[in-house]
Amino acid sequence: MSRELSATSGVRRIEIHPSLLAADFAHLADEIRDVEPFVDGLHLDVMDGVFVPNISFGPVVVEAVRRATRLPLHCHLMIAEPSQYISAFRDAGADTILVHIETLTDPVETIEDIKASGARVGITLNPETPTHRVQPWLPAVDELLIMSVHPGFGGQSFQPESLKRIRWAVHQRDVHGLALCISVDGGIGPANARQVAQAGADILVAGTSVFRAPDRRAAVDAMRGAHPFTVSPP
Ligand code: DX5
Ligand code: ZN
């Protein structure tokens, strides 16, 4: 992703990734075409009914989405054995593969496998999982996805404690000089996007607030702010 920070203008660009979970799956290609002109990537929620209490879709749908768009595809794997499916999702067209730390028995191996596949690698954690679980792996990944709801369903309320986690991630990035992209997923919309971005998020994932909005472009514009987000002074 383009984590552009201009020292002179003091502004940076926030990416908005709609979560397809809130789209109309009977018209998926149309839904994608509708948002494509004004979003930065698509977030695909893969759920297995084991790691999370819901089932969504797998590589077949990712492959169909790949044929419908050139947008970067970020596959959020909420599945019990992600390491077994990396090549399947990469072959289907995933540009970024995000795996939950709670599901990894050998994080080094999984991270290396994702890298070897050619995909960007992201690590994610549930709201109740302590941040020290992901800390050792931050230098090895491209992206940290902070869950701001319990995974499994769209349409939940943003958990405000997530803001502290975003600030923690920014601190880790700064202190250790990491090239880490920080993304946040769950309950994000025009009402809180600015707060999430100002805490330091680079990517905002938003399902309900985009696909269920009466005017999707206006919702995304509102999340970006009328002007680029101003970076708070250190
Ligand atoms: C939750 C998913 C989220 C969800 C976001 O398990 O990981 O990506 O679809 O949806 P909203 O924006 O509706 O909370
Ligand atoms: Zn997600």
Side-chain angles (χ1 to χ4, degrees), residues 61-147:
V61 171
V62 176
E63 194 273 330
V65 171
R66 178 73 291 161
R67 280 187 280 114
T69 183
R70 299 182 72 173
L71 283 171
L73 303 185
H74 291 232
C75 286
H76 176 192
L77 303 189
M78 289 165 274
I79 63 177
E81 300 280 354
S83 49
Q84 293 185 18
Y85 298 95
I86 288 161
S87 57
F89 284 102
R90 178 62 178 158
D91 291 349
D95 296 294
T96 297
I97 296 179
L98 299 140
V99 290
H100 273 262
I101 188 66
E102 301 88 356
T103 64
L104 303 183
T105 47
D106 187 342
V108 172
E109 187 177 45
T110 306
I111 289 167
E112 289 306 321
D113 285 352
I114 296 172
K115 281 185 181 169
S117 80
R120 288 175 76 253
V121 54
I123 198 157
T124 180
L125 76 172
N126 287 342
E128 67 277 11
T129 301
T131 51
H132 69 74
R133 292 278 305 277
V134 291
Q135 189 171 21
W137 316 114
L138 298 183
V141 300
D142 298 296
E143 182 171 338
L144 172 68
L145 175 66
I146 295 172
M147 291 306 299

Side-chain angles (χ1 to χ4, degrees), residues 19 21 43 45 47 76 78 147 149-156 185-188 205-209:
S19 164
L21 203 58
H43 183 89
D45 287 308
M47 305 178 183
H76 176 192
M78 289 165 274
M147 291 306 299
V149 298
H150 289 285
F153 299 92
Q156 303 180 71
D185 183 10
I188 298 173
V205 176
T208 307
S209 66

